[in-house]
Short mmCIF file of all heavy atoms in Angstrom, two decimals:
data_model
loop_
_atom_site.label_atom_id
_atom_site.label_comp_id
_atom_site.label_asym_id
_atom_site.label_seq_id
_atom_site.Cartn_x
_atom_site.Cartn_y
_atom_site.Cartn_z
N GLY Y 80 100.93 127.86 99.26
CA GLY Y 80 101.11 128.41 100.61
C GLY Y 80 99.86 129.01 101.21
O GLY Y 80 99.92 129.59 102.30
N GLY Y 81 98.71 128.88 100.55
CA GLY Y 81 97.48 129.49 101.06
C GLY Y 81 97.05 128.92 102.40
O GLY Y 81 96.45 129.62 103.22
N LEU Y 82 97.35 127.65 102.64
CA LEU Y 82 96.95 127.00 103.88
C LEU Y 82 97.69 127.57 105.09
O LEU Y 82 97.22 127.46 106.23
CB LEU Y 82 97.22 125.49 103.77
CG LEU Y 82 96.93 124.60 104.97
CD1 LEU Y 82 95.47 124.71 105.40
CD2 LEU Y 82 97.28 123.15 104.66
N LEU Y 83 98.83 128.19 104.87
CA LEU Y 83 99.67 128.67 105.97
C LEU Y 83 99.21 129.99 106.56
O LEU Y 83 99.66 130.38 107.65
CB LEU Y 83 101.12 128.82 105.49
CG LEU Y 83 101.76 127.57 104.87
CD1 LEU Y 83 103.14 127.91 104.32
CD2 LEU Y 83 101.85 126.45 105.90
N ILE Y 84 98.33 130.71 105.87
CA ILE Y 84 97.94 132.06 106.28
C ILE Y 84 97.03 132.03 107.50
O ILE Y 84 96.03 131.32 107.54
CB ILE Y 84 97.26 132.80 105.11
CG1 ILE Y 84 98.25 133.01 103.97
CG2 ILE Y 84 96.67 134.12 105.57
CD1 ILE Y 84 99.39 133.95 104.28
N ASP Y 85 97.36 132.85 108.50
CA ASP Y 85 96.53 133.03 109.68
C ASP Y 85 95.44 134.06 109.40
O ASP Y 85 95.57 134.88 108.49
CB ASP Y 85 97.37 133.52 110.86
CG ASP Y 85 98.25 132.44 111.44
OD1 ASP Y 85 97.95 131.24 111.25
OD2 ASP Y 85 99.26 132.79 112.10
N GLY Y 86 94.40 134.02 110.23
CA GLY Y 86 93.38 135.06 110.14
C GLY Y 86 92.00 134.51 109.86
O GLY Y 86 91.85 133.37 109.40
N PRO Y 87 90.98 135.30 110.15
CA PRO Y 87 89.61 134.84 109.94
C PRO Y 87 89.30 134.62 108.47
O PRO Y 87 89.74 135.37 107.61
CB PRO Y 87 88.77 136.01 110.51
CG PRO Y 87 89.68 137.20 110.44
CD PRO Y 87 91.05 136.67 110.69
N GLY Y 88 88.57 133.54 108.19
CA GLY Y 88 88.14 133.27 106.82
C GLY Y 88 89.20 132.71 105.90
O GLY Y 88 88.99 132.62 104.69
N THR Y 89 90.36 132.33 106.44
CA THR Y 89 91.43 131.77 105.61
C THR Y 89 91.27 130.25 105.49
O THR Y 89 90.48 129.64 106.21
CB THR Y 89 92.81 132.07 106.21
OG1 THR Y 89 92.89 131.47 107.53
CG2 THR Y 89 93.04 133.58 106.33
N GLU Y 90 92.03 129.65 104.58
CA GLU Y 90 91.97 128.20 104.39
C GLU Y 90 92.20 127.45 105.71
O GLU Y 90 91.58 126.41 105.96
CB GLU Y 90 93.01 127.75 103.37
CG GLU Y 90 92.73 128.18 101.94
CD GLU Y 90 93.82 127.75 100.97
OE1 GLU Y 90 94.45 126.69 101.22
OE2 GLU Y 90 94.05 128.45 99.97
N LYS Y 91 93.08 127.96 106.53
CA LYS Y 91 93.42 127.30 107.78
C LYS Y 91 92.20 127.15 108.69
O LYS Y 91 92.14 126.23 109.52
CB LYS Y 91 94.52 128.10 108.49
CG LYS Y 91 95.11 127.41 109.70
CD LYS Y 91 96.20 128.27 110.36
CE LYS Y 91 97.45 128.35 109.53
NZ LYS Y 91 98.55 129.03 110.26
N THR Y 92 91.21 128.03 108.55
CA THR Y 92 90.04 128.01 109.43
C THR Y 92 88.92 127.11 108.93
O THR Y 92 87.93 126.90 109.63
CB THR Y 92 89.48 129.43 109.61
OG1 THR Y 92 88.94 129.90 108.37
CG2 THR Y 92 90.56 130.40 110.07
N ALA Y 93 89.04 126.57 107.72
CA ALA Y 93 88.00 125.68 107.19
C ALA Y 93 87.98 124.39 108.00
O ALA Y 93 89.01 123.89 108.44
CB ALA Y 93 88.27 125.38 105.72
N SER Y 94 86.80 123.83 108.17
CA SER Y 94 86.63 122.66 109.03
C SER Y 94 87.60 121.52 108.74
O SER Y 94 88.21 120.97 109.67
CB SER Y 94 85.18 122.16 108.92
OG SER Y 94 85.00 121.01 109.73
N PRO Y 95 87.83 121.12 107.48
CA PRO Y 95 88.75 119.99 107.23
C PRO Y 95 90.20 120.29 107.62
O PRO Y 95 91.01 119.37 107.76
CB PRO Y 95 88.65 119.77 105.71
CG PRO Y 95 87.37 120.42 105.30
CD PRO Y 95 87.22 121.60 106.22
N ASN Y 96 90.53 121.59 107.79
CA ASN Y 96 91.92 121.97 108.07
C ASN Y 96 92.19 122.25 109.55
O ASN Y 96 93.33 122.53 109.92
CB ASN Y 96 92.31 123.20 107.25
CG ASN Y 96 92.40 122.90 105.77
OD1 ASN Y 96 92.67 121.76 105.38
ND2 ASN Y 96 92.18 123.90 104.94
N LEU Y 97 91.17 122.16 110.38
CA LEU Y 97 91.36 122.51 111.79
C LEU Y 97 92.30 121.54 112.50
O LEU Y 97 92.89 121.90 113.52
CB LEU Y 97 90.00 122.55 112.50
CG LEU Y 97 89.04 123.64 112.03
CD1 LEU Y 97 87.71 123.56 112.79
CD2 LEU Y 97 89.66 125.04 112.20
N SER Y 98 92.43 120.33 111.97
CA SER Y 98 93.31 119.34 112.60
C SER Y 98 94.65 119.18 111.89
O SER Y 98 95.44 118.30 112.22
CB SER Y 98 92.60 117.98 112.67
OG SER Y 98 92.19 117.56 111.37
N VAL Y 99 94.91 120.03 110.89
CA VAL Y 99 96.21 119.99 110.22
C VAL Y 99 97.30 120.45 111.18
O VAL Y 99 97.13 121.43 111.91
CB VAL Y 99 96.20 120.87 108.95
CG1 VAL Y 99 97.61 120.97 108.34
CG2 VAL Y 99 95.22 120.30 107.92
N LYS Y 100 98.42 119.76 111.19
CA LYS Y 100 99.53 120.09 112.08
C LYS Y 100 100.82 120.27 111.27
O LYS Y 100 100.88 119.92 110.10
CB LYS Y 100 99.73 118.97 113.11
CG LYS Y 100 98.53 118.69 113.98
CD LYS Y 100 98.81 117.52 114.92
CE LYS Y 100 97.61 117.18 115.78
NZ LYS Y 100 97.89 116.03 116.68
N GLY Y 101 101.84 120.81 111.93
CA GLY Y 101 103.15 120.97 111.30
C GLY Y 101 103.48 122.39 110.90
O GLY Y 101 104.57 122.66 110.37
N TYR Y 102 102.57 123.33 111.15
CA TYR Y 102 102.82 124.71 110.77
C TYR Y 102 104.07 125.27 111.44
O TYR Y 102 104.80 126.08 110.86
CB TYR Y 102 101.63 125.60 111.16
CG TYR Y 102 100.33 125.26 110.48
CD1 TYR Y 102 99.23 124.83 111.21
CD2 TYR Y 102 100.18 125.40 109.10
CE1 TYR Y 102 98.02 124.54 110.60
CE2 TYR Y 102 98.97 125.11 108.48
CZ TYR Y 102 97.90 124.68 109.23
OH TYR Y 102 96.70 124.39 108.62
N ASP Y 103 104.31 124.85 112.68
CA ASP Y 103 105.46 125.39 113.42
C ASP Y 103 106.77 124.99 112.76
O ASP Y 103 107.73 125.78 112.75
CB ASP Y 103 105.43 124.94 114.88
CG ASP Y 103 105.44 123.42 115.03
OD1 ASP Y 103 104.81 122.72 114.19
OD2 ASP Y 103 106.07 122.92 115.98
N LEU Y 104 106.84 123.79 112.20
CA LEU Y 104 108.07 123.37 111.52
C LEU Y 104 108.32 124.23 110.28
O LEU Y 104 109.46 124.66 110.04
CB LEU Y 104 107.98 121.90 111.13
CG LEU Y 104 109.16 121.38 110.31
CD1 LEU Y 104 110.47 121.50 111.08
CD2 LEU Y 104 108.93 119.94 109.87
N ILE Y 105 107.28 124.48 109.50
CA ILE Y 105 107.42 125.32 108.31
C ILE Y 105 107.90 126.71 108.72
O ILE Y 105 108.78 127.31 108.07
CB ILE Y 105 106.10 125.41 107.54
CG1 ILE Y 105 105.59 124.01 107.15
CG2 ILE Y 105 106.26 126.28 106.30
CD1 ILE Y 105 106.54 123.20 106.31
N ALA Y 106 107.34 127.23 109.81
CA ALA Y 106 107.73 128.56 110.30
C ALA Y 106 109.19 128.58 110.74
O ALA Y 106 109.92 129.55 110.48
CB ALA Y 106 106.82 128.98 111.45
N ASP Y 107 109.63 127.51 111.40
CA ASP Y 107 111.03 127.44 111.84
C ASP Y 107 111.99 127.42 110.65
O ASP Y 107 113.04 128.08 110.66
CB ASP Y 107 111.25 126.19 112.69
CG ASP Y 107 110.59 126.27 114.07
OD1 ASP Y 107 110.18 127.39 114.46
OD2 ASP Y 107 110.46 125.22 114.73
N ILE Y 108 111.65 126.63 109.66
CA ILE Y 108 112.50 126.56 108.46
C ILE Y 108 112.55 127.91 107.77
O ILE Y 108 113.63 128.39 107.37
CB ILE Y 108 111.98 125.48 107.49
CG1 ILE Y 108 112.09 124.09 108.14
CG2 ILE Y 108 112.76 125.51 106.17
CD1 ILE Y 108 111.39 123.00 107.36
N LYS Y 109 111.41 128.53 107.64
CA LYS Y 109 111.35 129.84 106.98
C LYS Y 109 112.19 130.87 107.73
O LYS Y 109 112.94 131.66 107.12
CB LYS Y 109 109.90 130.31 106.89
CG LYS Y 109 109.72 131.70 106.26
CD LYS Y 109 110.21 131.74 104.83
CE LYS Y 109 109.83 133.07 104.17
NZ LYS Y 109 110.42 133.22 102.81
N ALA Y 110 112.10 130.88 109.04
CA ALA Y 110 112.86 131.85 109.84
C ALA Y 110 114.36 131.66 109.64
O ALA Y 110 115.11 132.65 109.51
CB ALA Y 110 112.50 131.70 111.32
N GLU Y 111 114.80 130.41 109.59
CA GLU Y 111 116.23 130.15 109.40
C GLU Y 111 116.68 130.58 108.00
O GLU Y 111 117.76 131.17 107.83
CB GLU Y 111 116.54 128.68 109.62
CG GLU Y 111 117.99 128.28 109.41
CD GLU Y 111 118.95 129.00 110.33
OE1 GLU Y 111 118.53 129.49 111.40
OE2 GLU Y 111 120.16 129.10 109.97
N LEU Y 112 115.87 130.31 107.00
CA LEU Y 112 116.23 130.70 105.64
C LEU Y 112 116.17 132.22 105.47
O LEU Y 112 117.00 132.80 104.74
CB LEU Y 112 115.31 130.02 104.63
CG LEU Y 112 115.56 128.51 104.47
CD1 LEU Y 112 114.47 127.86 103.63
CD2 LEU Y 112 116.94 128.24 103.85
N GLU Y 113 115.25 132.88 106.12
CA GLU Y 113 115.20 134.34 106.07
C GLU Y 113 116.44 134.95 106.72
O GLU Y 113 116.95 135.99 106.29
CB GLU Y 113 113.93 134.87 106.74
CG GLU Y 113 112.67 134.70 105.91
CD GLU Y 113 112.70 135.53 104.64
OE1 GLU Y 113 112.78 136.77 104.73
OE2 GLU Y 113 112.65 134.93 103.54
N ARG Y 114 116.93 134.29 107.76
CA ARG Y 114 118.15 134.76 108.41
C ARG Y 114 119.35 134.65 107.48
O ARG Y 114 120.21 135.53 107.45
CB ARG Y 114 118.40 133.93 109.68
CG ARG Y 114 119.57 134.42 110.53
CD ARG Y 114 119.81 133.50 111.71
NE ARG Y 114 120.35 132.22 111.32
CZ ARG Y 114 121.64 132.01 111.03
NH1 ARG Y 114 122.50 133.01 111.05
NH2 ARG Y 114 122.06 130.80 110.69
#
Side-chain angles (χ1 to χ4, degrees):
L82 178 58
L83 304 175
I84 295 293
D85 287 338
T89 60
E90 291 178 30
K91 189 180 289 187
T92 68
S94 179
N96 291 333
L97 295 179
S98 56
V99 173
K100 301 177 182 179
Y102 298 117
D103 59 323
L104 175 61
I105 303 302
D107 289 346
I108 296 170
K109 178 62 172 174
E111 178 60 22
L112 289 171
E113 284 295 299
R114 186 184 71 79

